[in-house]
């Protein structure tokens, strides 16, 4: 239930312009922080997905960045990634 609510709120935020409209900033990452959070919630569930989304937002502090940083969701099985070497492998 929390996952569905969080996903709907993120979709609402994205449909209305996201960070550019509400905060006058553009995300430094690709995919954007809201899309990353949606993917994390779908893959890991509400608790871990939202926590990963906030961690991503805390890293978003380069206002003059010229090129976006490619930072896809680490997907390593259903709930955990064993070691750093496992990131990106299912």
């Amino acid at each position: 239930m929390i996952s569905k609510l969080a996903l709907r709120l993120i979709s609402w935020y994205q449909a209305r312009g996201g960070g550019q409209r509400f905060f006058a900033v553009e995300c430094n990452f690709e995919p954007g922080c809201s899309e990353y959070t949606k993917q994390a919630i779908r893959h890991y569930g509400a608790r871990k997905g939202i926590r990963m989304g906030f961690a991503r937002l805390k890293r978003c502090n380069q206002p003059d960045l010229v090129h976006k940083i490619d930072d896809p969701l680490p997907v390593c099985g259903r709930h955990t990634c064993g070691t750093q070497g496992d990131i990106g492998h299912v």
Side-chain angles (χ1 to χ4, degrees):
M1 175 157 160
I2 293 174
S3 293
K4 287 183 182 181
L5 176 62
L7 291 171
R8 290 186 88 150
L9 288 172
I10 293 169
S11 293
W12 178 89
Y13 168 81
Q14 290 175 327
R16 281 152 186 81
Q20 287 186 320
R21 177 173 178 208
F22 292 103
F23 305 108
V25 296
E26 188 172 336
C27 188
N28 291 327
F29 297 103
E30 186 63 43
C33 293
S34 59
E35 185 60 33
Y36 178 93
T37 305
K38 277 174 65 173
Q39 291 174 11
I41 291 169
R42 287 184 182 129
H43 188 77
Y44 294 106
R47 178 177 284 157
K48 185 171 182 177
I50 292 169
R51 190 170 53 237
M52 290 175 75
F54 277 119
R56 175 69 132 26
L57 285 169
K58 287 179 5 182
R59 294 191 330 246
C60 194
N61 59 3
Q62 300 174 20
D64 297 326
L65 192 67
V66 176
H67 300 288
K68 290 189 179 272
I69 300 167
D70 187 33
D71 185 31
L73 180 72
V75 180
C76 309
R78 181 67 181 131
H79 293 287
T80 60
C81 288
T83 62
Q84 284 296 95
D86 290 340
I87 293 176
H89 301 287
V90 178

